[in-house]
Amino acid sequence: SSGSGSGSGDSKRDALLAPFVEPAFLQQIKEDITSALQAQIANAEQYLTVYAPFADLVSNKADEDVDAFLATPKQFVDFVKEVKKYRGMADSIMFERPKVVRKGVFELSCELANKELCRRAKALADKLVKFVQTQAVTRNTEICSQFQEAADMALTTPRDTEHLMQLKSFVDKFKIEKLPRLEAEVEQARARLYFLMENTAFDKSEVELNAATFSWLSRFEPILEQHVELIKTSRQKGEEQLRQRRDAFNKELVAYQAEVASFAEHGDLAAVPQYDAKAKALNAKLEDGLQLIEGFNQEEEAFEWEITQYPLRHRLVQDLDPYLKLFDAVTSFRAQEDTWLHGPFGDIQPEAVENEVGSIWRTLYKLEKSLADKPKPCSIAKAVKDQVDAFKEHLPLVQSLCNPGLRDRHWEQMSVIVGFQLKPDEDTTLDKVLEMHLEQYTEQFENISEAAAKEFSLEKALSKMKGEWAEMEFTVLAYRDSGTAILSSVDEIQQLLDDQIVKTQTMLGSPFVKPFEEEMRAWNTTLVTLQDVLDAWLKVQATWLYLEPIFSSPDITAQMPREGEMFRSVDSNWRSLMANCVAEPAALAATSAEGVLEQLQQSTLLLEQIIKGLNDYLEKKRLYFARFFFLSNDEMLEILSETKDPTRVQPHLKKCFDGIGKLEFSPELDILSMFSGEGEKVPLIESVSTSAARGQVEKWLLQVEGVMRSSIHDTISRAMVAYAETPRDCWVQEWPGQVVIAVGQTYWTSEMHEAIRTHRVHEFVNKQNKQLEAVVALVRGKLSKQVRTTLSALTTLDVHARDVTVDLVEKDVQNDSDFNWLCQLRYYWENNNMMVRMINSTCEYGYEYLGNQGRLVVTPLTDRCYRTLIGAYTLHLGGAPEGPAGTGKTETVKDLAKAISVQCVVYNCSDGLDYKAMGKFFKGLASAGAWACFDEFNRIELEVLSVIAQQILCIQRAVLDGKKRFIFEGTELDLNPKCCSYITMNPGYAGRSELPDNLKVLFRTVAMMVPDYALIGEIMLYSCGFVNARPLSVKITTTYKLCSEQLSSQFHYDYGMRAVKAVLNAAGNLKLQFPDEVEDILLLRAITDVNLPKFLSHDIPLFQGIISDLFPGVDLPEADYSAFKAAAQQVCSDLKLQCEPVFVQKLIQTYEMMIVRHGFMMVGEPFAAKSCVLRVLAGTLTLMAANNAALDPPVEQE
């Protein structure tokens, strides 16, 4: 029990002694301790900021900085600054930083850190000092080397006068150019020495080098004095030697004079070889004397003496010349006469003999005259001239018998004449022939020889022509991955062939061709055959190249099996032909092979049938889907070849539908919706199944056309209902742009009718202003690109509608049948269909999807044009706007087509158009019910215009007769009466035709003169969100008016509508980028960016004066092109170009021009960097895109 009691007492004691601490209190204590410790640690860590100036030493960045510093050339003072910086760091660490620091409860030991940082700073300073020391050794060695070289040259003893002058020139040049520089370098070396003495120690070699370096300046002065003395002594010696050599040469000339005089006594004809040798030896001495004289003159010039002329030597050369010619002519004639008379008869060249004999005779004739006062040499000339005259008598016979063109038949003819065998053999010589005394037959021989010569020339020409073909080969290139080849360049072969055919036919007409007429005719046949083969070959190749990609498509081959089979046959022939050509590329052999011409002719016939079948096939497809008429054959084939995968037709949709950029396909390849080129989506009212068309692209494209119109009609009908139920500022953002404009115009028309009837037009103006303000407020806000485009077009038309309403108020229109109201373009929704009316013309809305595009600003000129064009359309006539460039002729036609929602195809006419191409176009026009705008129509040739008049008349009559189908140029077509043709003309241009009368009556003309630039500018600026649009538009037009009056006249200056439009586009882009910027600044930047790049330097100050007057007090802020400039700098460096400021300026100007223009022309002198600007700009934009620094995509340049 006691035990139990004791145990019970212990447990009670334990329970009493155990402390109880609240967990929250314990947690609070822990947090307080932790907070206190953290505060102490933070206080201690705060001390690290003291070492912040030395962070680079810790991170080793200082080592990298020093390495980078040493890697680039630097001045000595830069080294001194760097060394002082690191020495200063070391001293600051060692003497200003304590070894121990107390911070609260912590004691910081800094001694080891200070020592390490100090060591690193000193090491970097020592590294720099070592570099300077190495540099000093190198530079001092170079200084000593240059002084030593100069001293050696200065103390060299001249070998001759030339060497003397070289030494003197070297030392003089050294004193003027090198010595001052070396003195400056010695001073720099002195500064380096003082610096190094303070920072390092020198070894023995360095001490000696320094001593030598600084001693040279004092040692060099005596060396120069010795040089002067040495030059003086050497000059005196050289002058004396020159005098002696001149005197000796004068004595030699006197001796030569006596020798020349002795030739007048030489008259022995037998001794002429000795005379010739003696004269040539004397002439060689006189030529050597000329070299001596030139040397004397050079030394005289060096010694600054008067130049000696030595006229005696010149006179001796002249006196000796006739003797040289005489002896040379005599020796030459005797040697050649012996060769001609006793050498092989066949080696004699008659022309060479005649030329040589004639030359010798003329020389002797002249010498006989000039040596008349010297009897003995004259007798030699006369005697040899007589011998030459005697030999000349034999020349006709030589020319006849030694003609290289003589053949056996000619020798037989001459043998018959003389009565014995005359043909020479290997023992025959001219001497033996002359002994036959054949002079009496000379005239007959000449006739035979002349004929032989003509025959020989023809024979040589034929051999030459054949030889030219020996090395002529076809150039063959592998064609893509087709496994075969094609002929590359045949220009050289064709030129040779043409030349030789003409030559051969000329030679066949010669009377001397008979001996080898058969051979010549055979060669002519070969050439003509070659020409035929080559023509056929090139024709087959051109057609094969066109058809090969087409029939490589299994889809096309499946649709044209007969033509596919024929092409396989042609392809097999072609591959066989080219394989043979690759194996034997010689042109003559390849074209002369058996069966080549027949094979090519057969292929040509097959290809013609294939082309006809292909055209018939395409015509059938065009008749089924009329919009194919507006496409070329190549574009059609690209579309038709995509039968298995309809999605691959998408890139070509734009060619058939103006507004459809792409289609949305379901997984089953059903078409669900259409997208415009701008990205606007419009769901289709019903899906189009491409699989049901079974690969026939034209079938589902025709369905797309129908569903497109139904979908736009349905969307308009739903939008008409929604307009009345939804606030307008929300409604305009919910529907496609085309629908918004059409429905908006419809409601405006109906509300205007109501306002006129109730006499509340002036109240309607207020309502329109509020609507317009609401839309403009939206434009100034943040919108998607699609909505912004829609609102821009809507604003353009709303402003016009408001202006029309204001005009009706001013004219007090009380009746909706008033002409002022009827002359406007009005929209009506009647019987679930939209109608467009203007005056008494009514058109059905076309429901062609046009995408989300801008609209033209409607000016009074535009309205007048609309009235004429729509009136002509109602009467089934065409319209013909005429006027200068830039007045909006084409754009007005296109905009009217947008207003009525019909397809409008713009066709740029040229003088190369023919009636067949136009006929194809008109077929599409009539079948598709589209509008066509033939731009610059009067550029077409007059003869073609007459045919076009009949084509247009045929269509117009069919429309007037209400036909559903009609015959056009032999083809029965479906007729859509909505079709219409419009033409635009600029009468002021050169090379334009006057329209024939039968064409004029088919069109109603409208004059398009200068548009209202200010009104256009105001409305476009307003649609871009500009508040102050009216005065700004006036400033644009005033700027261009003043520029046209004050600036110089240049071909590339343009102040018309296109220039104004570029400024307005640029201003709209800037407003979008900087919506809160001052509008004057935005417009000034737009005008400057668009125009400044094209002005010449002398016009820029005038232009800047104009804009400073129009925009007083407006300072243009500098655009931020820092990223662009950095990228341009890098691209220039990669291309090894200098990135000059003016070059960068042109890069920026070109980029800014590129943003607001479809295309532009670089104008400048050669080597003005035009191409370099384009290459560098392409590289810059690509680099910025790669670095995500630009909105533009990477650039590809060709």
Side-chain angles (χ1 to χ4, degrees):
S1 103
S2 63
S4 64
S6 172
S8 173
D10 290 344
S11 64
K12 288 178 181 178
R13 188 169 58 250
D14 291 344
L16 292 170
L17 292 174
F20 174 75
V21 182
E22 287 287 343
F25 175 75
L26 187 62
Q27 181 63 31
Q28 181 63 44
I29 293 298
K30 287 180 180 179
E31 290 177 359
D32 291 345
I33 293 171
T34 302
S35 176
L37 279 173
Q38 287 176 342
Q40 291 292 328
I41 291 170
N43 186 32
E45 288 179 342
Q46 184 65 29
Y47 185 70
L48 288 176
T49 57
V50 174
Y51 287 92
F54 315 115
D56 288 352
L57 292 174
V58 177
S59 65
N60 290 327
K61 184 177 182 301
D63 294 81
E64 295 173 2
D65 290 344
V66 169
D67 290 340
F69 178 84
L70 296 177
T72 55
K74 293 288 188 298
Q75 298 292 327
F76 172 64
V77 291
D78 297 328
F79 282 96
V80 174
K81 288 179 184 177
E82 286 292 301
V83 171
K84 283 184 179 178
K85 182 176 81 171
Y86 289 110
R87 293 275 192 227
M89 280 187 185
D91 293 344
S92 174
I93 294 166
M94 183 58 67
F95 302 118
E96 296 176 10
R97 299 292 178 272
K99 295 180 180 178
V100 177
V101 176
R102 294 185 183 278
K103 288 288 182 181
V105 299
F106 292 103
E107 182 180 87
L108 304 179
S109 176
C110 305
E111 184 176 3
L112 291 177
N114 290 348
K115 284 183 179 179
E116 177 60 21
L117 290 174
C118 184
R119 183 193 66 77
R120 292 188 182 186
K122 286 182 177 179
L124 292 174
D126 291 343
K127 186 175 183 179
L128 290 164
V129 170
K130 185 65 179 174
F131 190 86
V132 174
Q133 191 172 9
T134 305
Q135 269 194 337
V137 171
T138 303
R139 291 302 304 133
N140 289 352
T141 304
E142 290 177 1
I143 290 170
C144 292
S145 174
Q146 291 183 44
F147 270 117
Q148 187 62 55
E149 180 189 3
D152 292 343
M153 290 289 286
L155 299 178
T156 300
T157 302
R159 295 187 302 272
D160 50 32
T161 304
E162 183 180 1
H163 191 207
L164 169 72
M165 294 307 160
Q166 289 175 354
L167 293 174
K168 185 176 183 299
S169 174
F170 175 83
V171 174
D172 291 344
K173 187 176 181 181
F174 180 85
K175 286 195 294 185
I176 295 170
E177 297 178 5
K178 284 192 175 182
L179 188 57
R181 182 167 52 79
L182 286 174
E183 289 173 347
E185 290 187 12
V186 169
E187 288 305 313
Q188 291 177 7
R190 197 183 308 281
R192 281 196 298 270
L193 177 63
Y194 292 154
F195 169 76
L196 292 172
M197 287 170 67
E198 293 175 1
N199 289 281
T200 188
F202 298 109
D203 58 22
K204 183 179 179 183
S205 62
E206 289 176 329
V207 172
E208 292 174 350
L209 179 61
N210 286 329
T213 302
F214 298 118
S215 67
W216 264 113
L217 287 178
S218 57
R219 288 167 52 199
F220 201 69
E221 191 63 34
I223 291 173
L224 291 176
E225 293 174 359
Q226 292 179 44
H227 169 74
V228 171
E229 189 61 34
L230 181 63
I231 292 297
K232 182 179 178 183
T233 305
S234 300
R235 176 169 179 149
Q236 292 173 351
K237 182 178 178 182
E239 288 176 349
E240 182 58 33
Q241 289 177 348
L242 178 58
R243 290 189 188 93
Q244 293 174 2
R245 282 185 284 128
R246 285 197 312 181
D247 293 342
F249 180 66
N250 283 326
K251 291 178 181 177
E252 289 179 8
L253 287 178
V254 172
Y256 297 158
Q257 187 177 15
E259 265 188 83
V260 171
S262 68
F263 284 117
E265 304 301 323
H266 295 338
D268 186 359
L269 189 60
V272 165
Q274 290 82 5
Y275 301 157
D276 185 48
K278 183 179 177 183
K280 286 179 178 175
L282 181 56
N283 188 60
K285 292 178 183 178
L286 290 172
E287 289 297 326
D288 293 342
L290 181 61
Q291 302 297 322
L292 280 174
I293 290 171
E294 289 177 356
F296 293 160
N297 290 341
Q298 289 177 358
E299 291 187 48
E300 288 168 346
E301 189 176 357
F303 291 141
E304 299 177 356
W305 290 0
E306 187 179 349
I307 303 299
T308 310
Q309 298 301 325
Y310 301 95
L312 179 57
R313 184 256 166 205
H314 182 67
R315 191 166 64 252
L316 291 177
V317 169
Q318 289 181 329
D319 292 345
L320 182 61
D321 184 62
Y323 300 115
L324 276 172
K325 289 180 178 178
L326 173 63
F327 302 147
D328 183 63
V330 172
T331 306
S332 174
F333 176 71
R334 284 184 169 180
Q336 293 194 71
E337 183 185 33
D338 184 66
T339 303
W340 295 331
L341 290 174
H342 305 105
F345 188 77
D347 292 349
I348 297 174
Q349 300 294 327
E351 289 185 8
V353 172
E354 183 179 13
N355 292 337
E356 188 64 29
V357 169
S359 174
I360 292 173
W361 187 90
R362 286 190 296 273
T363 301
L364 292 171
Y365 177 80
K366 292 177 183 176
L367 290 171
E368 188 179 3
K369 300 289 185 184
S370 61
L371 295 173
D373 57 340
K374 298 177 178 59
K376 292 183 178 180
C378 184
S379 64
I380 295 177
K382 188 174 184 308
V384 177
K385 179 170 159 291
D386 293 341
Q387 295 175 12
V388 173
D389 284 332
F391 188 82
K392 281 176 72 176
E393 294 177 2
H394 304 305
L395 284 180
L397 193 62
V398 170
Q399 287 177 333
S400 299
L401 298 181
C402 297
N403 186 347
L406 290 175
R407 297 293 180 263
D408 289 348
R409 60 181 180 274
H410 304 118
W411 287 112
E412 289 296 331
Q413 292 174 16
M414 290 190 286
S415 297
V416 170
I417 291 172
V418 298
F420 55 86
Q421 184 57 251
L422 196 58
K423 183 180 179 182
D425 54 24
E426 58 185 16
D427 294 328
T428 304
T429 64
L430 180 59
D431 191 34
K432 293 179 180 179
V433 171
L434 294 177
E435 289 176 357
M436 297 179 186
H437 303 293
L438 302 174
E439 286 78 6
Q440 56 183 320
Y441 308 114
T442 300
E443 187 174 347
Q444 294 168 286
F445 289 169
E446 282 179 351
N447 294 333
I448 295 172
S449 181
E450 184 178 354
K454 297 288 179 61
E455 293 168 9
F456 182 57
S457 66
L458 293 176
E459 191 176 1
K460 280 200 302 184
L462 180 59
S463 299
K464 183 184 176 185
M465 285 194 289
K466 290 181 177 179
E468 287 174 343
W469 285 102
E471 298 179 358
M472 191 62 68
E473 295 183 349
F474 283 124
T475 304
V476 179
L477 293 179
Y479 179 64
R480 297 180 184 171
D481 299 325
S482 62
T484 186
I486 57 172
L487 297 183
S488 171
S489 175
V490 295
D491 293 344
E492 189 178 352
I493 293 174
Q494 187 65 62
Q495 185 177 358
L496 179 63
L497 187 57
D498 292 342
D499 291 345
Q500 289 203 4
I501 287 175
V502 173
K503 285 181 182 176
T504 305
Q505 291 175 349
T506 304
M507 289 160 64
L508 279 170
S510 171
F512 302 101
V513 77
K514 193 166 184 178
F516 37 88
E517 185 175 7
E518 289 184 10
E519 184 183 2
M520 187 69 75
R521 291 196 181 280
W523 178 246
N524 185 57
T525 303
T526 301
L527 292 179
V528 171
T529 304
L530 197 158
Q531 180 70 72
D532 294 341
V533 170
L534 190 59
D535 290 344
W537 199 327
L538 293 176
K539 185 177 180 182
V540 169
Q541 174 170 298
T543 314
W544 182 86
L545 286 173
Y546 171 64
L547 294 175
E548 195 272 339
I550 297 171
F551 286 96
S552 295
S553 167
D555 297 336
I556 296 291
T557 308
Q559 295 176 64
M560 302 175 64
R562 179 173 168 273
E563 286 77 9
E565 185 62 35
M566 286 192 288
F567 183 77
R568 279 192 290 275
S569 173
V570 172
D571 187 62
S572 174
N573 290 343
W574 175 261
R575 291 175 185 274
S576 171
L577 178 66
M578 291 311 300
N580 294 336
C581 183
V582 171
E584 180 55 74
L588 205 56
T591 54
S592 302
E594 187 176 354
V596 169
L597 182 58
E598 292 75 12
Q599 187 179 3
L600 287 169
Q601 289 171 341
Q602 180 190 2
S603 296
T604 302
L605 292 173
L606 287 174
L607 288 171
E608 287 174 354
Q609 294 178 44
I610 295 169
I611 290 290
K612 184 178 183 302
L614 180 62
N615 289 334
D616 293 343
Y617 166 76
L618 295 178
E619 184 77 4
K620 185 174 75 172
K621 298 295 183 183
R622 286 185 171 116
L623 291 172
Y624 192 91
F625 183 58
R627 297 191 184 209
F628 278 163
F629 278 109
F630 304 133
L631 275 58
S632 68
N633 287 355
D634 294 342
E635 290 170 335
M636 265 193 73
L637 289 165
E638 285 184 49
I639 293 173
L640 296 173
S641 63
E642 306 296 350
T643 58
K644 294 179 182 175
D645 186 1
T647 59
R648 296 181 66 179
V649 177
Q650 300 221 75
H652 309 288
L653 285 172
K654 261 298 208 186
K655 300 166 186 173
C656 299
F657 303 95
D658 281 346
I660 302 179
K662 63 177 182 177
L663 299 168
E664 181 184 5
F665 288 85
S666 69
E668 294 79 24
L669 295 179
D670 291 342
I671 300 170
L672 306 177
S673 55
M674 53 189 176
F675 290 86
S676 72
E678 301 78 30
E680 183 183 69
K681 180 179 179 180
V682 178
L684 297 180
I685 192 172
E686 61 178 284
S687 63
V688 176
S689 173
T690 58
S691 56
R694 297 187 178 181
Q696 297 187 46
V697 181
E698 69 278 7
K699 283 191 175 181
W700 63 261
L701 281 176
L702 188 63
Q703 286 181 277
V704 168
E705 181 183 357
V707 175
M708 170 193 72
R709 291 200 170 101
S710 302
S711 301
I712 295 298
H713 179 274
D714 176 70
T715 308
I716 288 177
S717 63
R718 288 187 289 112
M720 289 290 295
V721 176
Y723 187 90
E725 301 171 353
T726 313
R728 193 172 190 266
D729 54 347
C730 296
W731 178 84
V732 295
Q733 302 182 56
E734 296 172 355
W735 297 92
Q738 178 181 350
V739 173
V740 168
I741 290 170
V743 174
Q745 292 292 95
T746 306
Y747 268 94
W748 171 73
T749 303
S750 63
E751 289 172 356
M752 275 298 301
H753 274 288
E754 182 64 26
I756 292 171
R757 291 191 191 110
T758 58
H759 306 294
R760 292 180 178 177
V761 180
H762 61 282
E763 296 177 12
F764 188 48
V765 172
N766 297 330
K767 180 181 178 180
Q768 282 185 287
N769 281 329
K770 289 178 182 178
Q771 290 178 344
L772 195 55
E773 288 168 5
V775 172
V776 173
L778 286 174
V779 170
R780 291 176 188 147
K782 290 190 176 180
L783 299 169
S784 67
K785 184 179 179 183
Q786 297 303 328
V787 174
R788 184 173 298 281
T789 306
T790 300
L791 295 184
S792 177
L794 182 64
T795 305
T796 301
L797 295 179
D798 278 358
V799 170
H800 174 65
R802 192 268 317 272
D803 292 345
V804 169
T805 309
V806 171
D807 185 58
L808 294 180
V809 171
E810 291 174 353
K811 293 179 179 177
D812 194 24
V813 173
Q814 302 293 328
N815 193 323
D816 59 6
S817 61
D818 192 297
F819 181 79
N820 291 307
W821 166 241
L822 294 180
C823 69
Q824 305 302 323
L825 195 64
R826 295 162 286 124
Y827 290 71
Y828 298 88
W829 186 253
E830 300 172 349
N831 301 322
N832 199 32
N833 196 13
M834 183 168 285
M835 308 299 291
V836 182
R837 294 192 173 98
M838 197 173 200
I839 312 180
N840 59 349
S841 301
T842 301
C843 307
E844 186 178 348
Y845 193 76
Y847 303 106
E848 175 82 19
Y849 180 53
L850 301 172
N852 191 10
Q853 301 179 25
R855 290 294 297 275
L856 208 60
V857 174
V858 182
T859 65
L861 178 65
T862 315
D863 263 334
R864 186 161 60 85
C865 187
Y866 279 177
R867 288 194 287 271
T868 306
L869 297 183
I870 206 165
Y873 177 60
T874 307
L875 297 172
H876 307 299
L877 295 172
E882 296 182 14
T887 51
K889 302 182 293 297
T890 306
E891 291 302 319
T892 304
V893 173
K894 287 166 61 180
D895 197 67
L896 183 58
K898 287 180 188 176
I900 303 176
S901 187
V902 295
Q903 182 188 18
C904 182
V905 184
V906 178
Y907 197 81
N908 290 301
C909 301
S910 68
D911 52 6
L913 273 178
D914 59 6
Y915 74 93
K916 291 181 180 177
M918 294 298 291
K920 172 187 151 187
F921 200 87
F922 284 127
K923 286 180 182 177
L925 206 64
S927 301
W931 284 14
C933 180
F934 296 103
D935 220 4
E936 306 293 353
F937 188 68
N938 52 345
R939 289 176 62 186
I940 302 174
E941 296 289 345
L942 189 61
E943 297 80 3
V944 180
L945 288 174
S946 297
V947 182
I948 291 174
Q950 294 304 313
Q951 293 171 330
I952 295 175
L953 182 62
C954 177
I955 296 172
Q956 289 183 357
R957 282 182 175 172
V959 173
L960 285 169
D961 294 343
K963 293 181 179 179
K964 299 295 183 185
R965 294 180 66 81
F966 77 115
I967 304 295
F968 183 83
E969 293 191 342
T971 305
E972 187 175 3
L973 300 173
D974 290 326
L975 178 62
N976 188 326
K978 292 182 180 179
C979 66
C980 191
S981 301
Y982 295 95
I983 62 176
T984 69
M985 294 180 289
N986 186 338
Y989 279 12
R992 301 298 194 267
S993 307
E994 181 69 24
L995 295 188
D997 291 341
N998 64 337
L999 192 57
K1000 282 182 182 178
V1001 298
L1002 305 179
F1003 294 92
R1004 281 194 167 180
T1005 57
V1006 52
M1008 300 285 285
M1009 298 311 290
V1010 181
D1012 190 341
Y1013 293 153
L1015 179 60
I1016 294 169
E1018 177 189 349
I1019 295 176
M1020 284 194 67
L1021 290 174
Y1022 201 59
S1023 69
C1024 294
F1026 280 81
V1027 179
N1028 203 20
R1030 187 180 295 273
L1032 292 180
S1033 66
V1034 172
K1035 288 186 178 184
I1036 295 174
T1037 56
T1038 307
T1039 298
Y1040 281 124
K1041 180 175 180 294
L1042 293 173
C1043 284
S1044 64
E1045 292 171 354
Q1046 297 182 20
L1047 271 55
S1048 64
S1049 178
Q1050 303 293 333
F1051 285 115
H1052 64 280
Y1053 286 4
D1054 176 25
Y1055 309 116
M1057 189 63 237
R1058 290 184 177 90
V1060 173
K1061 187 75 165 56
V1063 171
L1064 295 172
N1065 286 341
N1069 293 337
L1070 290 169
K1071 185 66 176 177
L1072 199 59
Q1073 278 183 281
F1074 310 104
D1076 301 324
E1077 183 60 87
V1078 178
E1079 291 182 350
D1080 276 27
I1081 290 178
L1082 294 180
L1083 187 67
L1084 178 57
R1085 176 168 293 285
I1087 292 174
T1088 305
D1089 290 351
V1090 169
N1091 292 287
L1092 195 61
K1094 68 185 177 185
F1095 288 139
L1096 302 184
S1097 56
H1098 57 78
D1099 284 331
I1100 291 176
L1102 295 172
F1103 173 72
Q1104 290 173 337
I1106 291 170
I1107 59 176
S1108 65
D1109 290 344
L1110 291 171
F1111 296 89
V1114 178
D1115 293 325
L1116 206 57
E1118 191 71 27
D1120 182 16
Y1121 276 103
S1122 54
F1124 183 93
K1125 290 178 180 177
Q1129 183 79 39
Q1130 183 174 340
V1131 173
C1132 284
S1133 177
D1134 294 342
L1135 294 175
K1136 302 293 186 291
L1137 296 173
Q1138 293 179 343
C1139 198
E1140 296 291 331
V1142 66
F1143 185 74
V1144 175
Q1145 182 187 12
K1146 284 300 168 187
L1147 284 175
I1148 294 171
Q1149 289 179 349
T1150 305
Y1151 173 68
E1152 291 170 343
M1153 186 69 74
M1154 187 176 67
I1155 294 172
V1156 296
R1157 295 281 196 182
H1158 294 296
F1160 51 87
M1161 182 185 297
M1162 305 287 285
V1163 181
E1165 296 289 334
F1167 297 102
K1170 300 183 290 296
S1171 300
C1172 284
V1173 164
L1174 294 177
R1175 282 199 297 271
V1176 173
L1177 179 58
T1180 300
L1181 296 180
T1182 302
L1183 181 61
M1184 290 178 73
N1187 297 336
N1188 296 320
L1191 298 176
D1192 303 271
V1195 176
E1196 293 182 10
Q1197 186 186 19
E1198 294 183 2

